[in-house]
Amino acid sequence: MASIVRSSLLRQVASAPKQSVAANAVRATAFHTTARRNLLPPLPQRVNGTVNDAAPVPETSPSHGSYHWTFDRLVAGSLIPLTVAPFAAGSLNPTLDALLCATILIHSHTGFQNIIIDYVPKYRTPRSRKALMWGLNAATAVVGLALYEFETTDVGITETIKRIWTA
């Protein structure tokens, strides 16, 4: 049974008309309604030096690498008790609230800073990276000022979360 089916399928495939790759591409593009556009064109690429040149080794700095990673992990880990403590203890302490706001602000700033460092290379787009870093610093300052105003003139972060949770 299998050999009968196999031979008939082979005959059908062999007798099918051959289509070129260009004909298939024309058929596929007939379904598209818009022209293809490169939204983000590739950046200019260049090779500095020759193939035999050694790769440059960046200067060591305590604010980069493992120290930076350890600091990020400590800040992220400290958010857990700072978030739970006001609700578990039942007391709304303004100092603890301010510490929570500052830690959230630092955590957000360093997280976005790491994204910019990882995905916007300085050697390819130096102006874009500098603009993004300045924008991040400005946004962090504005959010810090807003959190300060919210903490000093309103009920504060933990009380707001408590009210939303029990609403």
Side-chain angles (χ1 to χ4, degrees):
M1 176 79 177
S3 62
I4 296 170
V5 173
R6 189 177 330 147
S7 63
S8 66
L9 283 176
L10 287 174
R11 265 190 303 254
Q12 287 176 358
V13 170
S15 65
K18 303 280 190 251
Q19 291 184 351
S20 68
V21 175
N24 286 335
V26 170
R27 273 193 329 176
T29 56
F31 291 108
H32 295 285
T33 58
T34 59
R36 181 180 169 146
R37 287 185 228 131
N38 288 331
L39 296 178
L40 295 173
L43 296 169
Q45 298 182 6
R46 63 179 184 265
V47 177
N48 295 329
T50 66
V51 177
N52 295 326
D53 291 342
V57 178
E59 294 292 323
T60 58
S61 171
S63 64
H64 298 294
S66 63
Y67 295 116
H68 196 164
W69 187 87
T70 304
F71 176 73
D72 286 345
R73 299 292 83 71
L74 286 173
V75 169
S78 67
L79 279 172
I80 297 167
L82 284 174
T83 305
V84 174
F87 304 108
S91 66
L92 299 174
N93 188 349
T95 306
L96 189 61
D97 214 20
L99 191 61
L100 175 65
C101 287
T103 308
I104 288 172
L105 190 64
I106 291 169
H107 177 69
S108 301
H109 179 81
T110 57
F112 283 115
Q113 186 180 33
N114 288 338
I115 291 170
I116 293 170
I117 288 170
D118 288 345
Y119 295 107
V120 183
K122 187 191 293 186
Y123 65 91
R124 290 182 73 187
T125 54
R127 283 187 271 161
S128 297
R129 183 168 176 174
K130 190 174 223 173
L132 285 171
M133 285 296 203
W134 276 102
L136 175 64
N137 292 337
T140 302
V142 168
V143 170
L145 182 63
L147 284 172
Y148 173 76
E149 286 294 321
F150 186 69
E151 287 294 321
T152 56
T153 61
D154 210 345
V155 292
I157 280 284
T158 53
E159 179 63 29
T160 303
I161 293 171
K162 188 183 258 186
R163 288 180 184 181
I164 290 172
W165 192 266
T166 57

